[in-house]
Each structure stands twice: as structure tokens, then as C-alpha cells.
Amino acid sequence: MIRHSDLSPATIRHKIRRREVVLAGNMKLKIYGNLGCSSGKRMRKENRVFFHSEAEALQHYYRPCGHCLKEKYKAWKLDHKR
């Protein structure tokens, strides 16, 4: 997990192009999603983190985004019913 605020814009672009980061997450809400998600683009820089893989996001107890990862979110929701 890499914090957005720890990276320069050029470093972020480099990591995205090299596929070193493929997902972004909201540190406060514990939600991860695709880099192009409209919901994720609205989050504050200090709350954004980047992940190399979905497994890494799940390892940090983040849940899938309900907008860009609808099917994964539905499956997660079924698995986490109380």
C-alpha cells in the first residue's frame, strides 16, 4: 500500500504506466476500486492509497467499490452479512 501524499505526480504516472499500481483506495472509508472510477477521483489526496493488486487491498481489509466493481461488491456484501 502506497500513500498518494508520499508520491510526486510524475512518480504516480510512472507507477501506473509500469502497472506497479492498478487500484486506488480510500484510507478513511476502507474502499478500493479502479483508478478511473469517478467516485475515487473525487476523494482527497491525503485519503488516497494505491495498491499493486486486489489481494493486497483485501489483505489490508478494504472492500470493493460499489460503483466500479459492482459484482465484486455484491459478492463481498453477501460474504459480510451480519
Side-chain angles (χ1 to χ4, degrees):
M1 182 168 73
I2 305 167
R3 294 179 67 138
H4 185 162
S5 55
D6 294 343
L7 302 173
S8 70
T11 303
I12 293 170
R13 284 191 300 275
H14 177 75
K15 289 185 175 294
I16 291 171
R17 284 188 193 117
R18 295 191 57 167
R19 309 276 301 152
E20 293 176 22
V21 293
V22 295
L23 298 168
N26 186 311
M27 202 164 47
K28 287 193 176 197
L29 299 175
K30 295 289 217 178
I31 298 171
Y32 73 91
N34 295 321
L35 294 173
C37 179
S38 59
S39 295
K41 287 183 176 183
R42 291 192 308 257
M43 83 176 85
R44 303 179 115 197
K45 179 180 174 179
E46 56 268 13
N47 294 334
R48 187 179 292 121
V49 292
F50 295 107
F51 298 105
H52 178 67
S53 66
E54 184 175 11
E56 182 185 11
L58 294 171
Q59 179 183 357
H60 285 91
Y61 304 104
Y62 281 64
R63 71 160 176 86
C65 173
H67 295 122
C68 65
L69 300 172
K70 287 181 184 181
E71 294 304 315
K72 290 180 182 182
Y73 173 71
K74 286 178 187 176
W76 176 88
K77 196 171 176 181
L78 287 173
D79 288 342
H80 290 83
K81 274 190 174 182
R82 294 179 187 218

